[in-house]
Amino acid sequence: MKAPDLTNVEDAGVRAWSGSVEPLRAAAAHAQLAFSCVDVTHAKDRAALFAALDKSLALPEHFGHNWDALADVLEDRDWLGKHGRVIAFTGSAAYRKDHPTDWSTLEDIPEEASEFWKERHVAFWVFTA
């Protein structure tokens, strides 16, 4: 699968992805965006999901491990980085199936963050596989 043009801020948002994350990593580097891969293969509950997010996204020490805290962090310029960010979720099929409400929330929060950053002309992309 070919990665989209990650420099196009207006197209940024939450997108489905299949295959290796390497094209996304390369496209992020080309667009000078920070890249993070969150593997949720072993997340069996919300606590494990937040632990995976915390580890992979290098969230601030004060991160509260709840949806509101995640929403706040994703709209924090200090965390986001200078040019923007790409997040790729991998191994999400089981969590999505077993926890559909949590997964829906997890997609909604980054979508809102993407809209927030679009208004500021900053790229924020999330890919789910």
Side-chain angles (χ1 to χ4, degrees):
M1 188 170 200
K2 185 178 186 310
D5 177 3
L6 300 181
T7 62
N8 187 345
V9 174
E10 292 306 311
D11 286 346
V14 177
R15 305 284 183 266
W17 182 259
S18 61
S20 169
V21 297
E22 291 312 311
L24 295 174
R25 185 185 312 274
H30 176 75
Q32 297 182 326
L33 303 175
F35 178 84
S36 301
C37 184
V38 182
D39 183 358
V40 296
T41 303
H42 302 292
K44 303 300 182 207
D45 56 26
R46 190 181 300 174
L49 174 67
F50 279 115
L53 289 166
D54 194 2
K55 178 183 176 187
S56 300
L57 299 178
L59 299 175
E61 286 184 28
H62 65 273
F63 177 62
H65 292 91
N66 61 62
W67 298 124
D68 290 337
L70 181 62
D72 290 346
V73 168
L74 296 185
E75 293 180 4
D76 179 350
R77 183 61 173 205
D78 289 335
W79 172 81
L80 183 75
K82 188 173 182 180
H83 300 288
R85 185 175 291 261
V86 176
I87 301 171
F89 285 93
T90 61
S92 64
Y95 196 91
R96 209 178 338 196
K97 180 181 175 222
D98 295 343
H99 306 281
T101 302
D102 278 0
W103 190 260
S104 177
T105 302
L106 184 59
E107 288 183 326
D108 290 346
I109 290 171
E111 189 66 50
E112 290 173 14
S114 181
E115 292 302 317
F116 173 86
W117 290 115
K118 274 185 204 179
E119 293 171 5
R120 289 149 182 83
H121 308 289
V122 176
F124 184 78
W125 294 84
V126 176
F127 296 90
T128 60

